[in-house]
Amino acid sequence: MKIIHTADVHLDSKLNRHFGDRQAKERRDELLITFRKMVKYAADEGVEAILIAGDLFDVPRISATVRNGVLAAIQENPEIRFFYLRGNHDADAFLQDVKDRLGELPENLKLFSKEWTSYELTGADGSGVVITGAEMDAENKGKLAASLVLDQGKLNIVMLHGQEVETAGKRDAEVIPLREYKNRGIDYLALGHVHAPKLEKLDARGQYAYCGCLEPRGFDECGPRGFYMLNVGPDGIRAEFVRFAKRLTWELPVDVSEDLTSEDALGSVRRAAEAAGISENDMVKVVLEGESDLSAEFDEKYMAKALEEAFYFVKVVDKSVPKVDYESFQYDASLKGEYVRRIKAATAAGEIGEDRAAAMIKLGIELLAGRGLS
């Protein structure tokens, strides 16, 4: 039996932190399209269940487009059972809207509550598994682990949404103390909330996994994105990560120590992007690094505009620091020389740290050269 573990789709995210209105709308549409494609992939692959471990939606009131798209995915695939465990971003609006429209929820949509709920599945191949889940909040999180009772003679999948910790503090809400779930008969702990995929041993018997988000939304979500495909058989549960995102986000460090102009730096960026295998469909945050010459001039906005055709979205951040030869300014009678000498003296007196001194020198040189604030 095949089962998909997904979570943190965050449909209807605003996505206006990096994108303008047009691209934000396009990316919102792509989140829904990728979700629909995942369901089609499941149908084509003979998947019998999809586990949604929280944060299917990003906002309490979702758009009609998202509501209708998700409902269509469920209704068009009655052979797939959807196990929807709500996370901290999910609200009741979707379920209430569906009830108002249909009078009841689709038969193949299975829900959970604040207490443990279990469903027993038998696959077409005769394999069996029990799926147990609970929606966690500040009130029940302290007693959930102690109240979990599983039949250790069966294969068990447990679903939760929260942040993994070794031990939970009294005030911690929506955290999952892994220590309390060890040796409880869990074969696969399907988690949501963390946006990067992760699969590790839980104990001698089982594993725990965050599948990560289906599509990246920002530069804190770099790396592969997709879902876990679970193969359930008589020997247990085997998990395999499936890359599925339409786009990836990258933070691309580029050494510009040998570059003097924006054109030089653009060449370095293009070479680094090609070496990294970055696609024109991807979103890239370029970080200029290294010790640059004092005469170097990098215009981040110009560089980002010049790279627009190379990537779906690009942002350029200059974190290079000036390479200062203090001795060369020792007898410089210009205002620039006096400025650098004063920074050097303040650094030697311990009034300014080396990193701050480098940033001040870079800014001062730019201002004295009439280039303004970058």
Side-chain angles (χ1 to χ4, degrees), residues 126-161:
S127 59
V129 65
V130 178
I131 298 172
T132 302
E135 296 173 347
M136 188 164 45
D137 61 16
E139 294 181 4
N140 70 359
K141 62 96 183 176
K143 56 187 178 183
L144 273 180
S147 64
L148 177 62
V149 179
L150 302 173
D151 184 344
Q152 300 203 23
K154 297 180 178 179
L155 286 177
N156 291 297
I157 294 175
V158 172
M159 295 177 63
L160 288 169
H161 185 92

Side-chain angles (χ1 to χ4, degrees), residues 165-363:
V165 295
E166 274 302 308
T167 57
K170 292 182 179 180
R171 297 183 180 180
D172 291 338
E174 296 168 350
V175 298
I176 301 168
L178 289 178
R179 184 179 299 178
E180 298 179 22
Y181 288 92
K182 294 180 179 181
N183 305 312
R184 306 298 298 274
I186 299 173
D187 295 282
Y188 185 85
L189 182 56
L191 303 177
H193 187 63
V194 173
H195 289 188
K198 178 180 183 179
L199 177 65
E200 293 191 5
K201 291 288 292 182
L202 175 65
D203 52 30
R205 170 169 173 164
Q207 298 174 300
Y208 75 95
Y210 285 101
C211 56
C213 52
L214 198 56
E215 283 276 353
R217 297 175 300 153
F219 294 107
D220 55 344
E221 297 174 349
C222 297
R225 292 294 180 265
F227 54 83
Y228 277 110
M229 176 71 81
L230 310 182
N231 286 279
V232 180
D235 297 329
I237 299 173
R238 181 171 54 85
E240 178 182 358
F241 186 73
V242 179
R243 297 181 179 223
F244 207 75
K246 176 181 178 64
R247 306 186 192 279
L248 296 179
T249 54
W250 300 77
E251 184 166 309
L252 182 67
V254 179
D255 189 339
V256 292
S257 299
E258 303 300 321
D259 299 330
L260 293 177
T261 68
S262 294
E263 300 302 330
D264 296 335
L266 281 169
S268 296
V269 170
R270 292 187 174 103
R271 289 189 293 272
E274 183 178 1
I278 299 177
S279 164
E280 62 182 8
N281 290 324
D282 293 343
M283 301 167 284
V284 185
K285 178 181 178 181
V286 176
V287 182
L288 307 183
E289 296 181 339
E291 289 189 333
S292 57
D293 192 280
L294 273 176
S295 63
E297 299 180 39
F298 304 131
D299 186 330
E300 296 104 308
K301 290 184 179 179
Y302 165 73
M303 291 179 64
K305 191 70 177 176
L307 293 166
E308 276 185 354
E309 294 183 0
F311 310 112
Y312 177 76
F313 176 84
V314 63
K315 178 180 182 179
V316 179
V317 178
D318 184 6
K319 290 190 176 181
S320 63
V321 295
K323 180 170 54 180
V324 183
D325 179 7
Y326 288 108
E327 297 305 319
S328 66
F329 289 94
Q330 185 174 358
Y331 303 109
D332 190 328
S334 69
L335 186 58
K336 181 168 66 174
E338 178 63 18
Y339 177 74
V340 173
R341 286 192 293 273
R342 290 196 177 207
I343 296 295
K344 179 185 179 183
T347 306
E351 299 171 6
I352 305 174
E354 292 287 347
D355 290 344
R356 184 170 177 78
M360 290 174 67
I361 289 173
K362 183 176 183 179
L363 177 59

Side-chain angles (χ1 to χ4, degrees), residues 28-47:
R28 282 196 296 273
D29 292 344
E30 288 176 351
L31 294 183
L32 178 58
I33 290 168
T34 297
F35 177 78
R36 294 293 310 269
K37 285 183 176 179
M38 182 194 69
V39 176
K40 182 180 185 304
Y41 174 90
D44 293 342
E45 292 293 316
V47 169

Side-chain angles (χ1 to χ4, degrees), residues 16-33:
N16 55 8
R17 180 180 177 186
H18 299 294
F19 303 119
D21 290 343
R22 180 190 63 80
Q23 275 190 312
K25 172 63 168 66
E26 188 171 60
R27 281 301 286 154
R28 282 196 296 273
D29 292 344
E30 288 176 351
L31 294 183
L32 178 58
I33 290 168

